[in-house]
Amino acid sequence: MPRWLHTLLSSWTGRFAVLVVVGIALTAVVSVFWTPFDPMLSDVRGRWAAPSWPHLLGTDGTGRDILSLLMAGARTTAFVAVGAGLVATLVGISLAALGALTVRWVRESIAVLVDILIAFPVLMIAMMISAVWGGSLWVVVFAVGIGFGVSIARVTRPELRRVQQSDFVLAGRASGLTAGQNLARHLLPNVAPVFIVQLSWSMAVAVLAEAGLSYLGFGASLTEASWGTLLADLQRYIGVHPLTVVWPGLAITVTVLGLNLLGDALREATDPTLSRRSAQVHVPEVIA
């Protein structure tokens, strides 16, 4: 087992985070091929059924099976989290590299651009784009990915500048490595802990953003299952059927918590500074 994976699984937060993320991923994959019922199938005679067999979590006001809706919603959540993470990675690394490794006027221009873009709230940008192009998961993915890519760039850029002055980077440059090779071999691995924490936080907020936008009607369409849409449908009846609101809210909360804890656990497992610190051997003092 790799050392970083052993370190990740050695803490209860790491184990819990991995369990949550793997559980959401498996649920999303399984929901592509099977759900207990058709998530969009309505059965008026079975509306508001209490949790029992065969509806383990009950049904909603149109008779749809809540467990099936949650499983299908996990697919939407995984798509948005992974998609926004990929977009944020591409945008964040590109802006950070341009803002740290190029000539001075380019660095200063990128810094000003990042400061301008970061002033706009991600949810507001997504709502504005949705108002023009219509509600879509792709709108959420790109809006959240670009918004948090800028945040990643702002945090990663000074770390790249700091590592760039290290002796091993200067030695690599002297040995003939290009800027791209130095970036891939030396710079990115050393800023990975900071980047991983920001990326996992971005994915967690992407889940919240998708749920919030779908709750407001700017996210998933009516033909796509979403935890935010389900929460919006059920919250109107919270005084009569309070238990039904618990399931989508709990799914969102546990998923966001798992992604945040995964970022912290990965930072501790991959940070070379922490690894060197833990590898130091304590030698007791000898008292004459």
Side-chain angles (χ1 to χ4, degrees):
M1 179 184 296
R3 179 180 297 178
W4 68 267
L5 183 58
H6 180 269
T7 305
L8 176 65
L9 298 177
S10 63
S11 62
W12 72 267
T13 55
R15 292 192 295 269
F16 173 80
V18 171
L19 181 63
V20 169
V21 173
V22 171
I24 296 298
L26 290 177
T27 302
V29 172
V30 170
S31 68
V32 176
F33 308 99
W34 175 84
T35 53
F37 296 88
D38 185 346
M40 298 302 170
L41 180 63
S42 298
D43 181 11
V44 179
R45 290 180 297 181
R47 60 197 302 264
W48 298 124
S52 61
W53 183 263
H55 301 287
L56 298 182
L57 299 183
T59 60
D60 65 0
T62 60
R64 296 178 300 176
D65 182 63
I66 292 180
L67 177 59
S68 300
L69 286 168
L70 290 177
M71 291 180 64
R75 186 168 66 245
T76 300
T77 297
F79 170 76
V80 171
V82 174
L86 292 175
V87 175
T89 299
L90 180 61
V91 173
I93 291 179
S94 300
L95 290 178
L98 289 174
L101 309 178
T102 53
V103 296
R104 180 176 179 180
W105 70 268
V106 176
R107 295 199 306 266
E108 293 178 351
S109 300
I110 293 296
V112 173
L113 177 63
V114 168
D115 289 339
I116 293 174
L117 292 178
I118 208 170
F120 293 93
V122 175
L123 291 180
M124 182 177 295
I125 294 175
M127 291 175 65
M128 293 171 59
I129 297 176
S130 298
V132 177
W133 298 101
S136 170
L137 292 179
W138 287 104
V139 170
V140 177
V141 166
F142 282 102
V144 175
I146 293 173
F148 285 102
V150 173
S151 299
I152 289 175
R154 188 177 190 183
V155 175
T156 308
R157 176 178 172 271
E159 289 295 316
L160 283 176
R161 295 283 292 171
R162 179 183 61 82
V163 176
Q164 189 183 17
Q165 306 302 323
S166 302
D167 293 338
F168 57 86
V169 176
L170 298 177
R173 188 184 306 166
S175 65
L177 293 180
T178 64
Q181 291 173 331
N182 244 332
L183 178 67
R185 294 185 185 182
H186 300 302
L187 297 177
L188 290 182
N190 280 275
V191 301
V194 176
F195 172 77
I196 288 173
V197 173
Q198 292 296 315
L199 180 60
S200 64
W201 186 75
S202 300
M203 295 175 69
V205 177
V207 174
L208 279 177
E210 186 277 324
L213 290 171
S214 297
Y215 180 88
L216 297 173
F218 292 98
S221 64
L222 296 178
T223 59
E224 296 171 316
S226 169
W227 294 342
T229 303
L230 181 61
L231 192 62
D233 293 339
L234 297 176
Q235 61 91 23
R236 292 175 293 180
Y237 307 98
I238 188 172
V240 183
H241 304 282
L243 184 60
T244 58
V245 186
V246 171
W247 307 121
L250 184 63
I252 296 170
T253 302
V254 171
T255 301
V256 173
L257 178 62
L259 287 171
N260 279 324
L261 292 179
L262 181 64
D264 292 338
L266 283 173
R267 180 186 63 82
E268 296 178 359
T270 59
D271 192 339
T273 302
L274 297 178
S275 300
R276 288 194 297 267
R277 188 181 307 166
S278 62
Q280 291 178 352
V281 179
H282 175 69
V283 180
E285 297 180 359
V286 178
I287 302 177

